[in-house]
Structures are given as structure tokens and as C-alpha cells.
Amino acid sequence: MLILENGEFWSMYGTQTSTAFGIAGFIQGSGNSSNGSFTSSNTKDFGFAPAIAASTNATFNAAAKTISGTLTSTAGAVTFNGGPIAGSLYDYNAAASLSTVSGAWTATSLAGESIALNIQPAGSFTATSGLGCNFSGTIAPRASGKNVFNVSLTFGAAPCALAGQSATGIAVAYPLSSGRTQLLVSVVDSARTYGTAVFGTR
């Protein structure tokens, strides 16, 4: 889970294996924090298509970097708690660098499709899914100086599910103990109705 400097948050959920993290869905929204409380009335769960609306109520400890709370939607209420991932080499306070992500990636989409992704040194990228969906866009370090990238992309024609539409979101990349690098990308359309994610290691 990332809570950014502007109150926007992205929380990816899935399966952690010994070699990588696989995204099964993600939650996105924006909220307000005050005196150890964080609330959001515009939370959406993009593990569903279309995404389902929800609200988030949580408490956090900034010094310990821990958070716990409840996400409530039409699908029910889910409690969560978290903190720094033991052994993680991801450093949120380090500036993101395009050299970390530039080059070729073999990734997987939220729908389970293989994705051939090629990121240029200046941040433009092209990608093709296993079913023939082509999309392209840009990835750039956030102006905040934190270890997060802004992502914008446009999908090509059919068979892309969101043919001709654009989406924006975030990406993070961090080293793994195996010496490989993990890439996680999540984007949503302008109406925040549909979203997708891409993840991979190299």
C-alpha cells in the first residue's frame, strides 16, 4: 500500500511467492489524514470489472509506518493491517530512476495475459499482450522525489478490452534479494470504472 503525498493511495493485493509478487487486484482512491486517522469516501476496488465503490477508515502510526482499518463495499467489509515488509529492499524515500525500469520486460496482466513491455531510456514505452492488444505511453518519476513513477497509456484497437481509451496510474520497481527487479504497475481509466495492472520481474 502506498499513500502518496497528495492523499492518493494505491493498495495492491495478490500472492507473494519466494521469487515475486503477483497482483490479483488493487484498491485506489484518495483520502484525508489527521491525528493518526485516515479516511476515504471514494475508494474503489479494481479487483472487479467494473470496479466497486467502497469507503476506507483506518488508523496509522507514522513513526512505525503501520496502518490498520476497514474497507467497506457492497461486497462486504474487509479489515486490513500492514507495515513495512520484512526484508524488503524497496525504499520509498529514494528518488525513482528511469534506469531501473528502462529496457525489455516480460510481464503478466491482471487478466493473466503475458505482456511484452519495452521501456525506452527517456520513459516512453510500447507493449503487446499475448492476445494481441497493443498499447503505449510514458512512465516518469513523480515530482515528489519519492520512489514512485507516474504512468499514462493509451490502448490500441480491438482486441484491447478498453480499445482507444486512456488510463493513468503509478508504478514501483524495487530490487529483490535474488538480484532481480520487481515491477508493479496499476492504472485506471478517467472515469475510474475499469483498471488493470501489470507485474513482472527480470
Side-chain angles (χ1 to χ4, degrees):
M1 181 178 189
L2 292 172
I3 300 179
L4 304 179
E5 71 287 342
N6 61 355
E8 186 178 357
F9 69 95
W10 298 76
S11 181
M12 304 177 191
Y13 56 85
T15 303
Q16 178 69 57
T17 70
S18 60
T19 57
F21 179 73
I23 304 174
F26 65 95
I27 296 165
Q28 186 267 344
S30 59
N32 297 290
S33 58
S34 177
N35 298 319
S37 295
F38 180 83
T39 59
S40 170
S41 59
N42 71 348
T43 302
K44 285 198 172 182
D45 187 343
F46 291 89
F48 300 84
I52 61 172
S55 61
T56 302
N57 289 278
T59 58
F60 66 90
N61 183 319
K65 300 179 180 179
T66 57
I67 188 168
S68 61
T70 303
L71 182 145
T72 305
S73 71
T74 55
V78 178
T79 59
F80 63 89
N81 61 79
I85 301 172
S88 173
L89 299 177
Y90 173 70
D91 182 1
Y92 176 73
N93 291 312
S97 172
L98 282 170
S99 62
T100 304
V101 296
S102 62
W105 293 83
T106 299
T108 303
S109 76
L110 193 60
E113 288 184 69
S114 62
I115 304 288
L117 172 65
N118 189 34
I119 303 174
Q120 299 299 316
S124 63
F125 66 83
T126 56
T128 302
S129 76
L131 295 179
C133 171
N134 297 307
F135 56 96
S136 59
T138 59
I139 180 170
R142 284 180 67 85
S144 64
K146 302 302 184 180
N147 199 2
V148 184
F149 297 90
N150 288 330
V151 177
S152 62
L153 61 87
T154 300
F155 293 98
C160 294
L162 299 177
Q165 297 190 46
S166 297
T168 57
I170 57 102
V172 295
Y174 54 92
L176 301 173
S177 58
S178 62
R180 298 171 66 85
T181 298
Q182 169 94 62
L183 175 67
L184 304 173
V185 182
S186 294
V187 296
V188 302
D189 67 3
S190 59
R192 297 180 66 231
T193 302
Y194 295 96
T196 191
V198 172
F199 55 94
T201 61
R202 69 175 185 191

